[in-house]
Amino acid sequence: MQQAFFVAVIFLCLFSIISPPIALLLGVVMVNVFGNPFVAFNAKAITFLLQFSVIGLGFGMNAESAFSAGKEGFVLTVFSIFSTLLFGFLLGKWLKTEKKTSHLISCGTAICGGSAIAAISPVIKSNENQTSIALGVIFILNSVALFVFPFIGHQLDLSQKDFGLWCAIAIHDTSSVVGAANKYGAEALQIATTVKLARALWIIPISLLTAMIFKNKNSKIKIPYFIGLFIIAMLLNSYFPNVSVLAPHIVNLAKIGLTITLFLIGATLNVNTLKSVGVKPLLQGVFLWVFIASLSLVAIIYLS
């Protein structure tokens, strides 16, 4: 029964019969009703499919427009990252959240969700429980964002440009950023993906800063190399006409990969995950999320 349900949802994703938010919801339903028959492969599959999807989306983007959007969002990106990290530190102190868990949640919120946590955790030498709690908080809020952000965007009548920028700054994980922006529109998708990936590069300086703060000089820093492949894909699509003929098909495969990714992410959110998170880390994640979402939204509306 477990395998049949799993295969059925993957089949629906492959033929674009269900949307990314519905795929995420089906993943949550599956893991809580039937369990996940492929839990051992889930994390690796999510990482591979997300990176494949991001690179594939590069074939649907114009380099000049994308770099312009990234440049425009740079100042807001820098301000939001450091203000979120500072607020997260203060929140952790106030809520008395365990130090390493608090820092992982702050980094995940400030930069790029699970990817940032995966990069920062070996730097601070967090244990499995600390890392799992931080990932749980981020994945729960990511799931909510996929439904909430497009709704708020339409209620506020945000432009494609403004919504894409808001998504990239205020939603934690790249998968949910792309999923929400894709639902909103093509221009929002281009802006959100570019700004989010530029934001993800901040993993490197934040990891170095973290190593200094936690006094771990010999820590290895994970560099998100797939972002370079995304840029190459975008350049190929923009300046090589022969490549642009295949581009729509590659982008379609990337979107299918994203839908399956969100289904697999949903399949990690079982009741045990919710219980293991705990009240204080979840409160810190929610407060941080509301902070960055509200601050960035006000800034974007004011600047536009």
Side-chain angles (χ1 to χ4, degrees):
M1 186 67 179
Q2 294 174 323
Q3 289 88 341
F5 187 91
F6 194 95
V7 171
V9 176
I10 295 293
F11 180 85
L12 294 174
C13 292
L14 287 172
F15 289 90
S16 303
I17 296 173
I18 57 175
S19 65
I22 297 302
L24 178 77
L25 190 59
L26 287 174
V28 175
V29 170
M30 185 199 77
V31 75
N32 286 287
V33 176
F34 304 111
N36 186 343
F38 304 107
V39 65
F41 306 100
N42 223 60
K44 290 182 179 179
I46 289 171
T47 300
F48 172 78
L49 283 171
L50 178 58
Q51 293 181 357
F52 164 80
S53 300
V54 167
I55 294 166
L57 289 173
F59 285 97
M61 299 186 181
N62 177 271
E64 292 182 9
S65 300
F67 289 137
S68 176
K71 184 179 179 181
E72 188 172 335
F74 178 77
V75 174
L76 191 54
T77 292
V78 174
F79 175 74
S80 62
I81 286 174
F82 286 99
S83 61
T84 301
L85 289 173
L86 176 59
F87 187 51
F89 171 76
L90 295 174
L91 267 178
K93 287 286 187 183
W94 179 56
L95 291 170
K96 296 181 180 178
T97 310
E98 193 280 323
K99 184 180 178 181
K100 291 183 179 180
T101 303
S102 172
H103 187 68
L104 289 175
I105 292 172
S106 298
C107 289
T109 306
I111 310 172
C112 54
S115 300
I117 291 172
I120 297 293
S121 55
V123 174
I124 65 174
K125 298 180 180 178
S126 61
N127 60 40
E128 186 177 347
N129 184 57
Q130 292 162 335
T131 304
S132 297
I133 289 173
L135 286 171
V137 170
I138 295 301
F139 281 163
I140 290 167
L141 298 181
N142 266 326
S143 303
V144 175
L146 195 57
F147 294 93
V148 170
F149 270 63
F151 174 77
I152 294 175
H154 286 302
Q155 293 301 308
L156 296 177
D157 198 27
L158 294 179
S159 67
Q160 294 276 319
K161 175 185 172 184
D162 288 349
F163 184 79
L165 188 56
W166 186 42
C167 272
I169 291 171
I171 299 180
H172 313 77
D173 220 63
T174 305
S175 57
S176 290
V177 169
V178 174
N182 183 48
K183 187 177 180 182
Y184 208 78
E187 185 184 351
L189 175 62
Q190 174 165 304
I191 291 170
T193 306
T194 307
V195 174
K196 189 63 178 180
L197 293 181
R199 189 183 189 87
L201 291 173
W202 280 87
I203 286 176
I204 301 168
I206 296 301
S207 294
L208 292 171
L209 181 62
T210 295
M212 291 173 59
I213 294 171
F214 283 81
K215 298 178 181 178
N216 295 332
K217 295 180 181 179
N218 298 321
S219 300
K220 293 183 179 180
I221 296 170
K222 293 184 179 180
I223 300 173
Y225 293 106
F226 75 95
I227 296 176
L229 295 176
F230 165 81
I231 295 171
I232 291 172
M234 187 167 55
L235 292 172
L236 288 172
N237 180 62
S238 302
Y239 301 113
F240 292 84
N242 292 334
V243 174
S244 63
V245 175
L246 295 172
H249 304 290
I250 299 173
V251 171
N252 186 51
L253 285 174
K255 289 181 178 180
I256 290 172
L258 175 68
T259 304
I260 297 173
T261 301
L262 288 167
F263 166 64
L264 295 177
I265 289 173
T268 66
L269 298 175
N270 58 25
V271 175
N272 291 331
T273 302
L274 298 174
K275 288 180 179 178
S276 68
V277 164
V279 176
K280 290 180 179 179
L282 185 58
L283 280 177
Q284 179 173 342
V286 171
F287 287 155
L288 264 181
W289 188 39
V290 171
F291 168 77
I292 191 172
S294 303
L295 186 67
S296 57
L297 182 59
V298 170
I300 289 166
I301 292 174
Y302 176 76
L303 291 173
S304 62

